[in-house]
Amino acid sequence: MRVAVIGCGYVGLATSTVLADLGHQVAGVEIDREKLGKLAGGQAPIYEAHLQDLLTANISAGRLAFSDDHTASCCDADIIIIAVGTPTRETWEIDLGQLESAVDSIAESLEARDESLDPPVVVTKSTVPSGTSDYLRERLTTRTDRPFRIASNPEFLREGQAILDTFYPDRIVVGAEDEETFAALNELYAGIIGQDFDDPPPRPSRPQGFSIPVPVVRTTTRSAEMIKYAANAFLATKISFINEIANLCEEVGADIGDVAYGIGLDARIGPQFLRAGIGYGGSCFPKDTKALHQHAGSRGYTFTLLNAVIEVNRIQRYRFLAKIRRELKPLLGKTLGILGLAFKPGTDDIREAPSIDLMRELVRDGVQLRATDPKAIENARRVFDECEYVENAYEVAHDCDAIILVTEWPEFVGLDWGRMAEAMRGNLVFDGRNCLDWEKLEGVGLKVVGVGR
Ligand SMILES: NC(=O)c1ccc[n+]([C@@H]2O[C@H](COP(=O)([O-])OP(=O)(O)OC[C@H]3O[C@@H](n4cnc5c(N)ncnc54)[C@H](O)[C@@H]3O)[C@@H](O)[C@H]2O)c1
């Protein structure tokens, strides 16, 4: 199929690259000059495992190209996927500006479309409140009388595993109002649904136990849009829940690791998203929970539970900061090392990363900061420059009064902590993700402070 993908960020780039790899002819549209410059030169502007190799292979094969020309990219496409950003405003209301601008460009491309071609399916992959597809349909209809179809196809990929998740999703959700649209999306994803491809590198290997065919949820656009928000709200709820239990564990002398393991063995609960720590960050959970709460409010419904989830998450990083202040007081003049800047391992994304909030507060306390991250230093430096960024953890540790682990990169978990201890001036390690082997650290003379232990 001929596919246009509008917006080549984390989602759009993973989508366009994988669809090209499955044999579709894909035109990626991106308006950010810096990103487009890199893409035009065959370089991935973001870090995701497997992405660069797949990008190179598919550009070379002539199946994938990038431009800022919406009309040229969309006017002969069978499928037009919108993957632009949907940030929230200060009021938590979702800002549909990027989406509206994309839709207006699609209207222009429809005007330029050869009338002999079938109408394209305009697919919203961006995360949007329930009812947005109807709004987009209306908006398009007021701008063009050319035919088109509308579908909602929310994205569930996880940053850090974006390519893996796109090849091997848990499910594909399609919201549409007619059979032709469902059929078009089925054709688009046929390779993925039936796993009708081999997986030699640069494709990641199929995860063990992966179920084929991939379940496809066929529903209305409104339900599809709600599924995405409900999924993220539920996962965020699990994180805030376990963090509250962890806080309580500290009060009663229980161990959150054992408690989480004990409840996670219950098949109704499951073990995932039960690691206590300094709370969730990233480009999705914070904005999607707020947007859903605000959206509910705009319909006269007070989403009490979600409000608590958001508040617990906001407070969690400050509780952790309070521990650092208590253990290290006075902070003035101390040197602290930060391990991890990305909001989670496997990505260079620092949007809403706890590391940045933490560093801002610590600098106000008069602390000298030294930080590292395998992939996110460049992005962190752009938003926060009051820190010395260094290449590796051992440089971070040099003459440090304490280390704060913020992102659970395997590189940090597997450090030679004896060497770290030798390089440090102090002996405190704050394990913000409860991911370190405390016994090992204590064995080399370090004192570890975590969450709920
Ligand atoms: N990042 C994730 O893990 C993830 C997962 C699932 C869903 N989502 C959702 O997918 C959407 C995109 O997220 P993202 O993280 O990829 O965002 P992003 O900010 O990384 O990418 C969006 C891109 O769209 C481009 N853009 C904006 N307007 C454009 C236009 N009119 N034409 C062409 N390009 C345009 C921007 O320059 C940017 O590069 C959001 O709604 C997000 O909530 C994200």
Side-chain angles (χ1 to χ4, degrees), residues 30-42:
E30 176 54 60
I31 51 168
D32 181 304
R33 285 179 165 271
E34 199 182 329
K35 277 187 196 166
L36 184 59
K38 287 189 177 159
L39 286 168

Side-chain angles (χ1 to χ4, degrees), residues 286-300:
K287 88 171 169 62
D288 292 348
T289 45
K290 288 175 185 166
L292 182 59
H293 187 273
Q294 197 282 335
H295 182 59
S298 74
R299 298 303 169 108

Side-chain angles (χ1 to χ4, degrees), residues 5-13 29-32 35 46 67-68 70 82-87 94 97-103 105 125-128 154-159 162 228 232 283-284 287-288 343-344 349 351:
V5 178
I6 304 183
C8 297
Y10 287 86
V11 167
L13 200 47
V29 192
E30 176 54 60
I31 51 168
D32 181 304
K35 277 187 196 166
I46 55 165
S67 78
D68 57 1
H70 294 78
I82 305 175
V84 299
T86 47
I94 194 155
Q98 294 181 36
L99 206 75
E100 289 168 340
S101 158
V103 163
S105 308
K125 198 168 256 307
S126 301
T127 303
V128 291
E155 180 55 61
F156 299 94
L157 65 76
R158 295 162 294 177
E159 276 180 37
K228 174 63 193 176
N232 274 1
S283 67
C284 290
K287 88 171 169 62
D288 292 348
F343 83 90
K344 67 169 176 175
D349 197 346
R351 289 178 283 184

Side-chain angles (χ1 to χ4, degrees), residues 1-6 11-28 51 54 58 63-64 79-83 123 125 153 155 162-163 166-167 172 184-193 197 203:
M1 296 176 102
R2 288 181 308 269
V3 182
V5 178
I6 304 183
V11 167
L13 200 47
T15 303
S16 45
T17 308
V18 169
L19 288 176
D21 207 57
L22 292 173
H24 297 298
Q25 190 65 40
V26 181
L51 176 62
L54 279 167
N58 285 285
R63 287 188 297 264
L64 180 60
I79 304 268
I80 302 170
I81 296 175
I82 305 175
V123 180
K125 198 168 256 307
N153 171 221
E155 180 55 61
I163 297 293
T166 310
F167 274 117
I172 292 174
L185 270 286
N186 221 57
E187 190 182 340
L188 179 72
Y189 290 124
I192 291 176
I193 295 165
F197 58 87
R203 286 175 181 159

Side-chain angles (χ1 to χ4, degrees), residues 137-453:
R137 183 187 286 110
E138 266 173 49
R139 193 174 173 102
L140 266 176
T141 309
T142 59
R143 282 161 175 73
T144 178
D145 52 13
R146 290 298 188 78
F148 60 87
R149 299 182 202 285
I150 288 277
S152 164
N153 171 221
E155 180 55 61
F156 299 94
L157 65 76
R158 295 162 294 177
E159 276 180 37
Q161 311 196 44
I163 297 293
L164 182 85
D165 287 347
T166 310
F167 274 117
Y168 311 112
D170 291 333
R171 77 298 211 185
I172 292 174
V173 173
V174 180
E177 314 300 340
D178 58 84
E179 272 310 313
E180 289 84 349
T181 307
F182 283 120
L185 270 286
N186 221 57
E187 190 182 340
L188 179 72
Y189 290 124
I192 291 176
I193 295 165
Q195 291 289 298
D196 188 14
F197 58 87
D198 300 327
D199 55 7
R203 286 175 181 159
S205 308
R206 185 169 296 147
Q208 276 194 339
F210 182 77
S211 66
I212 305 172
V214 173
V216 178
V217 180
R218 285 170 51 133
T219 183
T220 61
T221 53
R222 285 182 182 236
S223 298
E225 290 159 344
M226 185 57 88
I227 287 170
K228 174 63 193 176
Y229 272 118
N232 274 1
F234 187 77
L235 294 173
T237 302
K238 266 187 119 174
I239 296 172
S240 280
F241 178 82
I242 204 66
N243 280 336
E244 289 239 88
I245 296 286
N247 298 341
L248 190 53
C249 281
E250 287 177 9
E251 299 303 322
V252 302
D255 184 308
I256 191 60
D258 292 346
V259 173
Y261 180 62
I263 64 171
L265 287 171
D266 185 328
R268 295 167 302 175
I269 296 173
Q272 295 200 41
F273 281 74
L274 290 183
R275 176 172 281 165
I278 54 176
Y280 60 77
S283 67
C284 290
F285 287 180
K287 88 171 169 62
D288 292 348
T289 45
K290 288 175 185 166
L292 182 59
H293 187 273
Q294 197 282 335
H295 182 59
S298 74
R299 298 303 169 108
Y301 183 77
T302 306
F303 204 146
T304 314
L305 175 64
L306 197 52
N307 200 41
V309 168
I310 296 165
E311 187 57 9
V312 168
N313 193 62
R314 187 186 68 78
I315 295 170
Q316 193 67 6
R317 43 186 89 168
Y318 291 99
R319 278 184 64 95
F320 191 64
L321 183 66
K323 275 185 201 166
I324 298 171
R325 285 180 173 144
R326 205 166 43 237
E327 294 282 340
L328 283 170
K329 71 176 180 226
L331 276 173
L332 185 67
K334 297 242 158 69
T335 301
L336 302 188
I338 306 285
L339 298 184
L341 299 160
F343 83 90
K344 67 169 176 175
T347 180
D348 60 353
D349 197 346
I350 52 130
R351 289 178 283 184
E352 303 260 353
S355 61
I356 306 293
D357 275 358
L358 212 55
M359 292 199 298
R360 284 212 171 97
E361 291 287 336
L362 289 169
V363 161
R364 272 190 217 124
D365 288 337
V367 159
Q368 301 286 322
L369 289 174
R370 205 176 301 128
T372 194
D373 187 284
K375 298 290 172 195
I377 290 178
E378 207 181 308
N379 284 340
R381 194 181 271 127
R382 286 182 198 201
V383 299
F384 186 78
D385 62 4
E386 293 171 75
C387 169
E388 183 191 353
Y389 293 102
V390 296
E391 281 307 304
N392 65 57
Y394 303 109
E395 278 184 67
V396 167
H398 180 70
D399 270 349
C400 247
D401 291 291
I403 292 281
I404 307 169
L405 185 138
V406 187
T407 317
E408 66 276 36
W409 284 94
E411 288 89 329
F412 299 149
V413 178
L415 281 169
D416 175 347
W417 282 96
R419 191 173 154 197
M420 291 288 285
E422 271 171 32
M424 288 170 68
R425 179 165 50 209
N427 71 338
L428 268 172
V429 176
F430 295 91
D431 183 1
R433 299 292 177 184
N434 281 356
C435 64
L436 298 172
D437 181 340
W438 287 26
E439 263 180 40
K440 207 191 236 176
L441 268 70
E442 282 160 5
V444 295
L446 294 169
K447 179 184 170 195
V448 193
V449 178
V451 179
R453 296 178 68 181

